[in-house]
Amino acid sequence: MSIEFLPVLFFIIALFYSSVGFGGGSSYLAIMSLFISNFYEIRSTALILNLCVVSIGTFVFVKNKVFDLKLFWPFLVSSIPLSYFGAQLRLSQTTFFLILGTSLILSGGFMLLRYVKAKLVSKEFQLPKKLALGGSVGFLAGISGIGGGIFLSPVLNLLNWANPRTVAALASVFILVNSVAGLLGLSVAGTLEIDLSLLWKLVIAVLLGGGIGSYLSNKKFNLRILGGLTAILVIYVGLRLVLLHAFGIKI
């Protein structure tokens, strides 16, 4: 497939992810890794696109009064500095792609968790647990370029922490602040690299997809099939990266 098809693919990805409160970073990273060899550019571009998509979603959640700072702040306050720190780490290309591949496999698995109906009986979610969860996911977000909501949201849904719309709103804000922190970290480290000729096309695509997806999320539109296919794609690319960079096996 030609790189010229990326805007179309990214429009579809943003449409799905924004409908469930995510930014789409895992899928952007997965697809860009098939076309772009510069991993600094891959990470930088994914964070910018995350920011574009979830800005729309966050605005919609705030407008519809789903945003609740009293509930959200512990996850955010621990994640922001760790995302900033993680983005400044200088990794070798092999290490980055192994971390990315593993993260994509986990992302796909967590996406599929959205369709698991079982709920764990959760005890009171104490502040230390919120800080630990937010911080660990934020650190991974900074290193990989994945916004982190795709890990946070399914865990909270599984633990029955809050209703799905509140969790989606938290995921959207979480990705927003951690994408900003990650980009600042890359900039300070001197590893913020973008191809403007490609970036503007992708930004337009994800803004359109993100806007439509955010609208559908408030209409409770069902995108289960698209979500399942996206999860399978993410897992496949993750396996491909791990096998290629760890064992030299191409699939």
Side-chain angles (χ1 to χ4, degrees), residues 164-220:
R165 289 195 71 209
T166 299
V167 172
L170 169 59
S172 186
V173 178
F174 187 90
I175 295 166
L176 176 68
V177 298
N178 284 289
S179 295
V180 172
L183 287 169
L184 287 174
L186 291 176
S187 180
V188 170
T191 54
L192 180 64
E193 297 185 17
I194 54 176
D195 178 356
L196 288 175
S197 63
L198 175 62
L199 180 64
W200 73 267
K201 299 175 185 177
L202 300 181
V203 167
I204 291 174
V206 300
L207 284 174
L208 289 172
I212 296 172
S214 296
Y215 171 79
L216 294 178
S217 71
N218 283 277
K219 298 299 180 182
K220 300 181 180 179

Side-chain angles (χ1 to χ4, degrees), residues 51-199:
L51 190 57
C52 292
V53 174
V54 296
S55 294
I56 300 171
T58 300
F59 173 78
V60 172
F61 283 124
V62 171
K63 182 180 178 182
N64 287 279
K65 299 180 180 179
V66 186
F67 178 83
D68 189 340
L69 185 58
K70 291 181 180 179
L71 284 177
F72 296 172
W73 74 263
F75 300 100
L76 305 180
V77 75
S78 60
S79 66
I80 293 172
L82 285 171
S83 178
Y84 175 78
F85 173 71
Q88 293 189 64
L89 295 180
R90 289 180 175 268
L91 308 173
S92 68
Q93 179 168 310
T94 298
T95 301
F96 171 77
F97 280 116
L98 285 175
I99 291 174
L100 175 58
T102 303
S103 298
L104 291 176
I105 294 169
L106 291 173
S107 296
F110 275 91
M111 287 174 68
L112 293 176
L113 271 179
R114 287 185 54 82
Y115 307 115
V116 175
K117 297 298 184 182
K119 296 285 186 181
L120 299 178
V121 178
S122 61
K123 299 178 181 179
E124 188 177 352
F125 214 64
Q126 300 292 342
L127 180 61
K129 292 182 179 179
K130 295 177 182 178
L131 293 173
L133 180 58
S136 58
V137 176
F139 183 65
L140 179 60
I143 291 178
S144 65
I146 294 174
I150 198 168
F151 297 114
L152 186 66
S153 179
V155 171
L156 294 179
N157 278 320
L158 194 62
L159 291 173
N160 204 22
W161 173 72
N163 66 73
R165 289 195 71 209
T166 299
V167 172
L170 169 59
S172 186
V173 178
F174 187 90
I175 295 166
L176 176 68
V177 298
N178 284 289
S179 295
V180 172
L183 287 169
L184 287 174
L186 291 176
S187 180
V188 170
T191 54
L192 180 64
E193 297 185 17
I194 54 176
D195 178 356
L196 288 175
S197 63
L198 175 62
L199 180 64

